[in-house]
């Protein structure tokens, strides 16, 4: 027991040490890159504005530009370690405050677009892969890869024109600027929430259209890889409906070995929703004597790492 | 299974329909009703509403309408009364006396007195942090005082003619509110709403996530309350998104359109387009030799550009009129003098004998006469050093117009035997190279205010860097003692015609020096929704169709709501909802049919 504790302590110390080394390395690289970049903060701040020598001297002192480089680096490290990420002259606020103010809108936009992309991509990918060459497969693959190759900002502008301004018979449906209607009260009342959702539609749609293709492609190829597996034949022979074979056996086995973690997380989410049950027979890799998957409760993505596999 | 799988689709579609529904839009929008709110695009992002530290244009525009100044700039570009009803100068030209308007009150009811004015000016003069934004404007002020509630006195160190111009840039704040904020004035953002001030509008709110400021009309404003009850100024990071917002009715006015956007908005029956005379110019600057105040030379600029005849040949080789038509789509004035046409009192054009208008033949003759013979590759060679007349042209990689102009310059200069190598640099990089003197020719742009002193000052010897480690405010290392004499002279001339004459002479010197070759003055292009606001613009168009330079303060105050008419957009929205519903139901129906047709196969 004591030995295990010591082992863990050594392990922890190694990990923490490695993290510290990485952190220090990042601090140095971050500082050096910005130091060697051709920039003159004083020039950038004062160009075009009447500025006296006294004002320049004051700014120089305020920005710490009169300090030697090593001293500035020490201040930078010290401030970073104390959670002081600097001060934005553009917004005249601490950087940490700016990050904090923008965290929720970022989470809302990126979270919603990522979840929708994963769901939509997997939904289409599963069906496309199940019937490769079908109309749905050709359309979804073509459309998703088409959007994937489109620059996000350009697609955003097109959607702005189509649904924000209106074009031909399409009227203006969604607002084009801001996160909510300027001057609205805010808070958590229904009208404000709906207002935020209205403002979310176009940016979220833009991101979804551009990124859902990766989930379609990955899921489609994984499903296709599973199509020739013998356990499908077994399942069908036992009289399972086609849709059950796909949902309960192919999808769980297709998602794990090849998908990125986000897809797997999504698969787990889907699994929970659809009350996954174990497949009649595992996928090819699971048929090896040491990796048989029979646990009725173990989600597939954990099987390789920690789930026990009782015979 | 069908319903379960379709449920998310239907939910998303329903959410979209709900979000797009006009009923929800009206319920959730406080500003969609015409007649109550004027919505303007902000020029920049917002930073602070502290007038002592603000320099973002959006901040300055807001501060100008929530705090009073001693003077204001009228429609003719001249200083006019505001907080000061009149002003006079002593016979020795050192003491200015301003009579302060009586009976005005801050928005919290406390009377506005000369003491507030003196306190504000004193703070800027004595507190370095408070002088961040406007310290340089009061450099020549020896003292300020308020001998009584309606008199404010400025004593200057040297005679200074532009004091009434400077006083329209310094916002006066209420002493009883601000005296407690002095200790942290450098970081104080002044965002305790409603902001106690005095002006046509009252600062009422600011949204960080939306980047919009909300202002309400001040009913006790001495010229009368603005006609709109609320003013919203919103920042758009993309100007194209702002144009879309204007077209969709989310914005009522945009101030700074590109010629392309201006052209795209033509034909929209609800939008009126205005081109007003420019207060900025686009130019190229030629390095006449970087040096410090003491004459120490530095930088790697080509010494050939120190030769006046080469600079003149470059000026003659450039077809500025063609740049106006090809690059600016005709929405600009051909470049000439150093000051812009926005302010007619300072507008100068060269006489026929002075003119360096496009004449490549003359440029060639000048260079031939000076001995710069044509060498290999059609590039002239200096007879003494055998150096080619080959120069670097630094352009802003983040400015599309620079990239459009550069090929023209290459072609025109090649035609007179001068080779140009274009170097694209970011704005920051270019501005970093500039004070180091490591450049030959750079694209340059400046805008000016009503008083030209600052713009004229950047060509004076006094703005050269004091030493190698301290950058000066110089624009192009130009230094001419005759110009400096005139610069100091115009600062002490109190008669406008006399001062204009001196400023004209200065512009003539700059024009002949060809250190800054002004290419064109781009028009200020604006658009206003005519179904939301009228009386937004003022003045009469000139023969070229350009309005006078607009003052946003006046635009926002004079804008009048247009009576709300039956909106066609709501009809459109209902059509949109119907279309969305049809699409959703049709798609769902198709899916169900498809499922049914393959049911057997699935079984």
């Amino acid at each position: 027991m004591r030995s295990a504790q010591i082992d863990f302590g050594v392990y922890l110390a190694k990990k923490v040490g490695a993290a510290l080394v990485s952190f220090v390395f990042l601090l140095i690289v971050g500082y050096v890159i910005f130091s060697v970049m051709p920039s003159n903060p004083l020039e950038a701040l004062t160009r075009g504005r009447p500025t006296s020598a006294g004002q320049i001297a004051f700014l120089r002192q305020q920005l710490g530009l009169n300090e030697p480089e090593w001293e500035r680096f020490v201040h930078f490290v010290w401030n970073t370690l104390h959670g002081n990420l600097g001060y934005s002259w553009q917004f005249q606020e601490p950087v940490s405050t700016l990050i904090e103010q923008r965290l929720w809108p970022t989470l809302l936009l990126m979270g919603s677009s990522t979840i929708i992309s994963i769901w939509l991509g997997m939904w289409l990918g599963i069906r496309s892969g199940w019937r490769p060459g079908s109309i749905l497969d050709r359309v979804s693959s073509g459309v998703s890869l088409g959007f994937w190759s489109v620059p996000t900002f350009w697609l955003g502008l097109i959607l702005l024109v189509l649904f924000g301004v209106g074009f031909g018979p399409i009227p203006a449906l969604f607002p084009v600027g801001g996160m909510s209607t300027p001057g609205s009260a805010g808070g958590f009342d229904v009208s404000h929430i709906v207002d935020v959702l209205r403002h979310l539609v176009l940016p979220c749609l833009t991101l979804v259209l551009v990124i859902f293709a990766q989930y379609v492609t990955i899921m489609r190829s994984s499903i296709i890889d599973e199509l020739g597996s013998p356990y499908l034949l077994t399942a069908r022979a036992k009289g399972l409906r086609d849709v059950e074979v796909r949902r309960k056996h192919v999808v769980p086995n297709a998602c794990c070995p090849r998908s990125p973690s986000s897809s797997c997380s999504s698969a787990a989410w889907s699994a929970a929703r659809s009350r996954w049950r174990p497949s009649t027979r595992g996928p090819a890799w699971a048929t090896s004597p040491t990796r048989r998957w029979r646990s009725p409760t173990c989600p597939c993505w954990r099987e390789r790492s920690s789930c026990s596999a009782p015979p | 299974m069908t319903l379960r799988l379709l449920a998310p689709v239907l939910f998303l579609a329903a959410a979209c329909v709900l979000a797009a529904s006009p009923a929800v839009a009206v319920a959730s929008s406080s500003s969609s009703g015409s007649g109550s709110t004027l919505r303007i695009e902000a020029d920049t992002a917002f930073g602070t509403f502290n007038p002592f530290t603000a320099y973002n244009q959006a901040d300055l525009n807001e501060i100008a309408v929530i705090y009073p100044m001693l003077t204001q700039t009228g429609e003719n570009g001249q200083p006019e009364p505001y907080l000061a009803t009149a002003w006079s100068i002593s016979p020795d030209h050192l003491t200015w006396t301003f009579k302060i308007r009586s009976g005005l009150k801050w928005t919290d009811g406390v009377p506005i007195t000369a003491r507030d004015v003196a306190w504000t000016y004193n703070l800027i003069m004595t507190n370095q942090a408070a002088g961040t934004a406007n310290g340089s404007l009061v450099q020549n002020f020896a003292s300020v005082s308020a001998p009584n509630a309606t008199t404010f006195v400025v004593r200057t160190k040297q005679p200074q003619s532009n004091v009434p111009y400077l006083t329209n840039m310094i916002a006066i704040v209420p002493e009883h509110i601000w005296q407690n904020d002095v200790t942290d004035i450098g970081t104080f953002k002044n965002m305790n709403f409603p902001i106690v001030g005095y002006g046509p509008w009252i600062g009422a709110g600011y949204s960080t996530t939306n980047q919009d400021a909300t202002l309400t009309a001040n009913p006790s404003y001495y010229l009368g309350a603005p006609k709109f009850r609320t003013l919203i100024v919103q920042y758009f990071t993309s100007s194209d998104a702002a144009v879309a917002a204007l077209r969709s009715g989310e914005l009522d006015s945009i101030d700074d359109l590109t010629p392309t956007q201006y052209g795209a908005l033509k034909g929209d029956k609800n939008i009126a387009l205005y081109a007003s005379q420019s207060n900025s110019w686009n130019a190229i600057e030629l390095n006449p030799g970087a040096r410090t105040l003491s004459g120490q030379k530095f930088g790697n600029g080509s010494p050939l550009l120190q030769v006046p005849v080469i600079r003149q040949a470059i000026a003659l080789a450039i077809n500025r009129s063609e740049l106006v038509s090809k690059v600016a789509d005709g929405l600009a004035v051909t470049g000439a003098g150093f000051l812009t046409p926005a302010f007619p009192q300072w507008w100068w054009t060269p006489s026929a004998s002075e003119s360096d208008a496009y004449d490549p033949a003359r440029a060639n003759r000048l260079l031939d006469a000076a001995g710069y013979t044509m060498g290999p590759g059609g590039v002239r060679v200096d007879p003494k050093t055998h150096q080619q007349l080959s120069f670097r042209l630094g352009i802003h990689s983040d400015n599309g117009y620079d990239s459009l102009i550069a090929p023209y310059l290459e072609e025109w200069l090649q035609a007179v035997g001068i080779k140009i190598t274009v170097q694209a640099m970011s704005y920051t990089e270019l501005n970093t190279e500039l004070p180091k003197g490591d450049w030959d020719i750079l694209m340059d742009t400046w805008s000016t205010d009503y008083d030209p002193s600052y713009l004229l000052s950047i060509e004076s010897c006094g703005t050269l860097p004091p030493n190698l480690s301290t950058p000066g405010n110089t624009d192009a290392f130009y230094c001419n003692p005759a110009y400096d004499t005139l610069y100091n002279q115009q600062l002490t001339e109190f008669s406008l015609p006399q001062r204009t004459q001196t400023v004209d002479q200065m512009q003539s010197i700059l024009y002949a020096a060809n250190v800054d070759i002004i290419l064109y003055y781009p028009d200020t292009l604006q658009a206003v929704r005519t179904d939301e606001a009228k009386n937004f613009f003022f003045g009469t168009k000139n023969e070229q169709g350009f309005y006078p330079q607009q003052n946003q303060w006046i635009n926002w105050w004079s804008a009048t709501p247009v009576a709300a008419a039956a909106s066609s957009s709501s009809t459109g929205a209902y059509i949109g909802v119907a279309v969305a519903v049809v699409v959703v139901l049709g798609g769902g129906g198709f899916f169900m049919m498809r499922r049914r047709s393959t049911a057997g196969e699935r079984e």
Side-chain angles (χ1 to χ4, degrees):
Chain A
M1 184 66 186
R2 189 172 176 79
S3 167
Q5 281 178 343
I6 291 170
D7 285 350
F8 179 74
V10 171
Y11 170 81
L12 189 65
K14 278 182 183 173
K15 289 293 177 189
V16 170
L20 278 176
V21 169
S22 300
F23 183 62
V24 170
F25 181 73
L26 278 175
L27 281 179
I28 293 171
V29 169
Y31 185 85
V32 169
I33 284 178
F34 281 95
S35 299
V36 300
M37 270 171 64
S39 65
N40 183 338
L42 276 183
E43 178 69 20
L45 278 173
T46 60
R47 183 155 176 83
R49 302 169 60 207
T51 317
S52 66
Q55 282 173 293
I56 289 184
F58 177 66
L59 279 172
R60 181 182 291 277
Q61 183 251 327
Q62 223 179 5
L63 293 173
L65 297 176
N66 49 357
E67 294 171 357
E69 201 69 49
W70 69 266
E71 204 171 318
R72 287 161 62 187
F73 177 69
V74 169
H75 279 154
F76 167 71
V77 173
W78 181 254
N79 288 337
T80 306
L81 292 176
H82 285 76
N84 179 354
L85 303 180
Y87 189 82
S88 162
W89 280 87
Q90 160 91 22
F91 294 99
Q92 306 212 2
E93 290 234 49
V95 172
S96 50
T97 308
L98 291 171
I99 292 173
E100 184 191 325
Q101 288 167 347
R102 284 151 181 78
L103 193 60
W104 159 239
T106 305
L107 283 177
L108 179 65
L109 176 59
M110 296 311 297
S112 59
S113 59
T114 304
I115 288 170
I116 294 173
S117 300
I118 291 173
W119 176 83
L120 181 65
M122 293 191 70
W123 193 86
L124 281 172
I126 290 167
R127 277 145 191 83
S128 300
W130 190 243
R131 295 187 191 282
S134 66
I135 292 177
L136 177 70
D137 178 34
R138 280 179 283 167
V139 170
S140 71
S141 299
V143 169
S144 60
L145 289 174
F147 280 124
W148 176 251
S149 59
V150 168
T152 313
F153 74 93
W154 184 82
L155 181 64
L157 281 176
I158 297 298
L159 293 178
L160 269 188
V161 172
L162 283 178
F163 302 114
V165 178
F167 187 78
I170 304 172
L173 293 172
F174 300 104
V176 299
M179 191 178 161
S180 60
T181 302
S184 61
F188 288 96
D189 60 291
V190 174
S191 65
H192 180 67
I193 292 170
V194 173
D195 187 38
V196 171
L197 286 177
R198 289 181 67 234
H199 285 79
L200 184 65
V201 170
L202 289 183
C204 185
L205 180 62
T206 306
L207 291 175
V208 167
L209 288 178
V210 171
I211 60 179
F212 85 99
Q214 56 185 302
Y215 301 107
V216 173
T217 310
I218 291 169
M219 205 59 218
R220 178 181 177 276
S221 63
S222 296
I223 292 283
I224 289 174
D225 284 351
E226 294 298 321
L227 287 182
S229 302
Y231 68 89
L232 265 74
L233 191 62
T234 308
R236 283 178 175 131
K238 285 190 169 184
L240 285 179
R241 289 189 306 157
D242 214 34
V243 66
E244 284 180 319
V245 173
R246 184 184 72 208
R247 197 176 74 242
K248 295 174 184 170
H249 303 288
V250 177
V251 171
N253 291 318
C255 91
C256 295
R258 301 167 183 87
S259 303
S261 59
S262 58
S263 301
C264 279
S265 303
S266 168
W269 178 70
S270 303
R273 283 182 63 245
S274 56
R275 299 181 302 280
W276 261 350
R277 288 189 292 271
S279 66
T280 309
R281 186 175 169 189
W285 55 264
T287 56
S288 89
T290 55
R291 291 287 185 188
R292 299 182 77 182
W293 176 49
R294 292 193 185 162
S295 166
T297 54
C298 181
C300 70
W301 81 99
R302 295 182 59 204
E303 194 274 338
R304 283 195 159 195
S305 55
S306 59
C307 283
S308 60
Chain B
M1 171 270 171
T2 304
L3 276 178
R4 197 181 61 215
L5 282 178
L6 271 181
V9 180
L10 292 172
F11 174 77
L12 278 179
C16 287
V17 169
L18 181 69
S21 122
V24 171
V26 172
S28 62
S29 165
S30 67
S31 59
S32 58
S34 177
S36 62
T37 304
L38 181 66
R39 296 151 304 185
I40 307 286
E41 184 208 9
D43 292 336
T44 62
F46 291 98
T48 177
F49 298 145
N50 178 345
F52 297 101
T53 57
Y55 54 80
N56 289 344
Q57 194 58 46
D59 301 336
L60 296 174
N61 289 342
E62 167 140 337
I63 286 165
V65 297
I66 61 174
Y67 288 111
M69 284 78 175
L70 272 182
T71 56
Q72 62 178 317
T73 306
E75 295 181 11
N76 62 358
Q78 297 290 323
E80 289 183 359
Y82 185 0
L83 212 52
T85 54
W87 50 91
S88 59
I89 186 165
S90 63
D92 64 358
H93 289 157
L94 288 174
T95 304
W96 291 82
T97 304
F98 294 84
K99 295 305 291 180
I100 304 299
R101 197 180 296 274
S102 55
L104 301 185
K105 290 180 179 175
W106 298 107
T107 49
D108 63 353
V110 175
I112 302 174
T113 68
R115 188 177 157 80
D116 293 305
V117 183
W119 186 85
T120 304
Y121 275 74
N122 251 323
L123 189 66
I124 296 171
M125 290 163 62
T126 56
N127 183 320
Q128 275 193 315
T132 301
N134 297 318
S136 65
L137 302 179
V138 296
Q139 269 189 105
N140 190 37
F141 286 16
S143 65
V144 294
S145 60
N148 57 55
T150 57
T151 307
F152 172 64
V153 178
V154 174
R155 181 88 182 158
T156 60
K157 297 170 190 167
Q158 300 292 327
Q160 186 174 351
S161 62
N162 63 351
V163 168
Y165 283 100
L166 302 183
T167 49
N168 73 17
M169 290 189 260
I170 298 177
I172 310 299
V173 300
E175 178 189 359
H176 66 284
I177 299 290
W178 282 76
Q179 60 191 354
N180 299 324
D181 299 314
V182 169
T183 48
D184 60 346
I185 203 157
T187 53
F188 179 57
K189 294 191 63 155
N190 192 26
M191 290 192 177
N192 302 322
F193 301 103
I195 295 173
V196 176
Y198 181 83
W201 304 91
I202 301 168
Y206 170 67
S207 163
T208 308
T209 50
N210 252 6
Q211 280 279 292
D212 65 60
T214 303
L215 302 98
T216 53
N218 181 1
S220 58
Y221 188 57
Y222 80 106
L223 289 174
K227 315 299 182 297
F228 280 93
R229 288 198 296 275
T230 308
L231 171 67
I232 286 176
V233 188
Q234 185 173 11
Y235 177 59
F236 285 74
T237 48
S238 157
S239 66
D240 289 324
V243 170
L246 181 79
R247 294 178 66 195
S248 70
E250 286 174 61
L251 279 176
D252 297 330
S253 170
I254 295 183
D255 285 336
D256 197 12
L257 295 165
T258 65
T260 308
Q261 292 166 339
Y262 188 85
L265 287 172
K266 278 181 183 167
D268 192 318
K269 63 182 171 58
N270 290 324
I271 294 174
L273 297 168
Y274 299 93
S276 56
Q277 289 177 323
S278 174
N279 68 341
S280 65
W281 47 246
N282 287 353
I284 54 170
E285 54 185 346
L286 314 182
N287 190 343
R291 59 196 145 156
T292 63
L293 262 177
S294 60
Q296 186 181 359
K297 294 183 178 175
F298 61 94
N300 62 15
S302 171
L304 290 171
L305 284 174
Q306 295 172 24
V307 181
V309 74
I310 294 180
R311 297 204 301 267
Q312 188 181 8
I314 291 174
L316 286 164
I318 296 173
N319 190 342
R320 307 177 209 201
S321 304
E322 193 164 329
L323 288 179
V324 169
S325 60
K326 298 275 178 62
V327 175
D329 291 345
L331 295 164
V333 173
T334 306
F338 196 68
L339 299 179
T340 70
F343 312 112
Q345 65 269 39
W346 312 122
W347 171 231
W348 172 88
T349 50
S351 64
S353 62
E354 289 176 296
S355 175
D356 283 335
Y358 180 55
D359 190 346
R362 189 173 156 219
N364 274 316
R365 285 199 302 275
L366 282 174
L367 292 171
D368 287 340
Y372 297 101
T373 52
M374 203 63 87
V379 180
R380 292 178 184 274
V381 177
D382 178 23
K384 294 176 193 162
T385 63
H386 305 293
Q387 271 190 326
Q388 283 191 324
L389 269 63
S390 173
F391 307 114
R392 298 161 291 176
L393 169 64
I395 66 170
H396 298 93
S397 56
D398 35 15
N399 181 330
Y401 291 104
D402 283 11
S403 329
L404 290 175
I405 292 169
Y408 287 103
L409 297 182
E410 275 186 284
E411 181 187 334
W412 290 330
L413 293 176
Q414 183 67 54
V416 298
I418 296 174
K419 185 182 173 189
I420 291 294
T421 306
V422 177
Q423 294 182 338
M425 291 181 267
S426 70
Y427 178 86
T428 308
E429 190 181 0
L430 193 143
N431 276 357
T432 304
E433 293 301 307
L434 199 152
K436 288 197 273 184
D438 292 340
W439 53 278
D440 295 331
I441 305 174
L442 290 181
M443 299 296 301
D444 194 19
T445 182
W446 280 93
S447 61
T448 179
D449 212 327
Y450 301 94
D451 182 73
S453 298
Y454 180 71
L455 193 60
L456 292 171
S457 77
I458 62 175
E459 301 295 345
S460 65
C461 301
T463 57
L464 288 174
N467 52 57
L468 290 178
S469 59
T470 309
N473 276 345
T474 183
D475 181 46
F477 300 105
Y478 180 67
C479 178
N480 180 341
Y483 177 88
D484 280 21
T485 304
L486 290 168
Y487 175 76
N488 292 325
Q489 185 182 322
Q490 61 87 28
L491 281 176
T492 59
E493 285 175 333
F494 295 85
S495 146
L496 181 61
Q498 204 177 9
R499 189 177 177 208
T500 303
Q501 197 177 359
T502 308
V503 169
D504 284 354
Q505 289 177 46
M506 296 170 70
Q507 293 190 78
S508 174
I509 290 174
L510 289 179
Y511 186 82
N514 284 310
V515 168
D516 267 291
I517 299 172
I518 313 294
L519 303 176
Y520 59 83
Y521 314 94
D523 296 338
T524 306
L525 304 174
Q526 292 169 270
V528 180
R529 281 198 74 91
T530 51
D531 56 343
E532 294 289 339
K534 59 182 181 181
N535 302 334
F536 196 92
F537 258 66
F538 57 81
T540 311
K541 288 191 278 190
N542 65 9
E543 61 276 6
Q544 292 170 286
F546 301 153
Y547 280 83
Q549 175 69 23
Q550 298 292 301
N551 181 331
Q552 285 188 320
W553 178 93
I554 300 175
N555 290 148
W556 298 354
W557 175 78
S558 64
T560 309
V562 174
S567 169
S568 61
S569 64
S570 62
T571 308
Y574 281 115
I575 293 171
V577 172
V579 169
V581 169
V582 168
V583 168
V584 169
L585 293 181
F590 172 78
F591 195 83
M592 294 285 285
M593 287 168 61
R594 172 92 182 134
R595 297 284 307 166
R596 194 172 299 164
S597 67
T598 57
E601 179 192 339
R602 291 196 305 277
E603 295 300 326

